[in-house]
Amino acid sequence: MPHQSITVAGVEVFPLCDAVGPMGASIRRPLPEMFPGGCHGESDEWTLHFHCYLLRDAAGRTVLVDTGIGPEDSPAASWAPVPGALGSELARVGVSPEEVDAVVITHLHSDHASGAVIGGVPVFANARHVFQRSEIDAAAEDVLARVVRPLGDRVQVVDGQADVLPGIRVFHTPGHTPGHQVVQVGDLVLTGDVVLHPVQLADPKVPYLYDDDPELAAATRMELLERVRGARGMIATAHFAEPFTMLSPA
């Protein structure tokens, strides 16, 4: 059953389910290795839900947060359940790729950025694509060639905090990658991969095997979750089964 939208600060937020499945064997590890120190219960299998989000403001302008795992020949194919369903999910909520006004890529990992350019052609032809400068600076040459350069003048580079549209803002949240960013709308934060698994809500210090800088990622996660909890806010995650999680005060 499709996830339902919510409205926050006058912005409708649509969760888009790009795919569901475990990691492929090339990078799959037992949960205690992926999230060392976390309390995992009985299950040793991590089934990821690959969420993107569409934001639509009161004026009808749209912002897409992340572009998913992409087609069958995507770089994510080595480990993720391609092809992604982003196109059909956008159609479900009544938006065509040409109608997207802005795209925010939280970071350049293949499950978040592979749907931006397909066959060398930008999918969201009329959208500016917002990246943190430090993410582009740290990107590998093949990622720049595959994702960033084909976008041409559609690329909008920001440093730290920046407004995408009035009331929709990005913040630099490094650690998982050097230029990771999150999106905030009112008291809702779309966390990208700052928070990957529910064990990190119980203990934000629990690292993730594939964080670029685990210590920095943990510090970023603790600060972000503390800020959202202080505001009695909510997070929208990339890989939880349910897209929205209300955070109770600490």
Side-chain angles (χ1 to χ4, degrees), residues 45-78:
E45 180 70 85
W46 185 22
T47 299
L48 290 86
H49 293 245
F50 297 83
H51 298 304
C52 306
Y53 292 86
L54 184 81
L55 314 181
R56 183 161 57 202
D57 72 5
R61 295 171 296 191
T62 55
V63 178
L64 178 64
V65 180
D66 285 333
T67 62
I69 58 178
E72 289 187 3
D73 60 352
S74 146
S78 63

Side-chain angles (χ1 to χ4, degrees), residues 46-115:
W46 185 22
T47 299
L48 290 86
H49 293 245
F50 297 83
H51 298 304
C52 306
Y53 292 86
L54 184 81
L55 314 181
R56 183 161 57 202
D57 72 5
R61 295 171 296 191
T62 55
V63 178
L64 178 64
V65 180
D66 285 333
T67 62
I69 58 178
E72 289 187 3
D73 60 352
S74 146
S78 63
W79 69 274
V82 296
L86 179 59
S88 60
E89 281 287 274
L90 284 169
R92 177 178 64 82
V93 301
V95 175
S96 70
E98 295 77 17
E99 293 173 313
V100 174
D101 295 299
V103 174
V104 175
I105 304 289
T106 59
H107 61 297
L108 282 165
H109 282 173
S110 60
D111 55 324
H112 293 259
S114 291

Side-chain angles (χ1 to χ4, degrees), residues 168-189:
I168 301 175
R169 181 170 294 176
V170 295
F171 292 87
H172 183 209
T173 49
H176 182 64
T177 64
H180 189 286
Q181 60 185 345
V182 299
V183 180
Q184 183 163 359
V185 182
D187 60 3
L188 172 71
V189 176

Side-chain angles (χ1 to χ4, degrees), residues 1-248:
M1 182 176 179
H3 295 298
Q4 299 301 304
S5 67
I6 64 172
T7 299
V8 181
V11 175
E12 192 166 11
V13 182
F14 297 87
L16 309 175
C17 185
D18 191 44
V20 179
M23 283 184 167
S26 62
I27 64 171
R28 185 189 311 157
R29 301 290 183 273
L31 274 175
E33 291 184 26
M34 298 279 262
F35 299 95
C39 182
H40 300 287
E42 297 179 1
S43 175
D44 194 34
E45 180 70 85
W46 185 22
T47 299
L48 290 86
H49 293 245
F50 297 83
H51 298 304
C52 306
Y53 292 86
L54 184 81
L55 314 181
R56 183 161 57 202
D57 72 5
R61 295 171 296 191
T62 55
V63 178
L64 178 64
V65 180
D66 285 333
T67 62
I69 58 178
E72 289 187 3
D73 60 352
S74 146
S78 63
W79 69 274
V82 296
L86 179 59
S88 60
E89 281 287 274
L90 284 169
R92 177 178 64 82
V93 301
V95 175
S96 70
E98 295 77 17
E99 293 173 313
V100 174
D101 295 299
V103 174
V104 175
I105 304 289
T106 59
H107 61 297
L108 282 165
H109 282 173
S110 60
D111 55 324
H112 293 259
S114 291
V117 175
I118 296 179
V121 178
V123 173
F124 306 98
N126 299 315
R128 53 197 166 91
H129 291 62
V130 182
F131 298 88
Q132 290 288 327
R133 185 179 307 278
S134 50
E135 187 72 359
I136 290 179
D137 288 348
E141 173 60 30
D142 66 319
V143 176
L144 293 172
R146 187 184 70 247
V147 177
V148 179
R149 292 195 190 107
L151 294 172
D153 60 6
R154 298 174 185 85
V155 172
Q156 179 184 356
V157 178
V158 301
D159 291 294
Q161 180 177 320
D163 288 335
V164 181
L165 290 175
I168 301 175
R169 181 170 294 176
V170 295
F171 292 87
H172 183 209
T173 49
H176 182 64
T177 64
H180 189 286
Q181 60 185 345
V182 299
V183 180
Q184 183 163 359
V185 182
D187 60 3
L188 172 71
V189 176
L190 290 79
T191 61
D193 280 359
V194 172
V195 182
L196 288 116
H197 191 280
V199 298
Q200 294 178 312
L201 296 182
D203 183 358
K205 296 188 296 297
V206 170
Y208 175 54
L209 177 63
Y210 297 117
D211 282 336
D212 179 75
D213 184 333
E215 289 187 8
L216 180 57
T220 294
R221 185 165 44 253
M222 287 187 282
E223 187 279 330
L224 179 67
L225 293 177
E226 181 179 356
R227 177 160 58 86
V228 176
R229 284 195 170 102
R232 297 179 179 270
M234 182 184 301
I235 59 174
T237 54
H239 298 302
F240 286 18
E242 293 298 324
F244 301 113
T245 302
M246 182 68 73
L247 298 186
S248 58

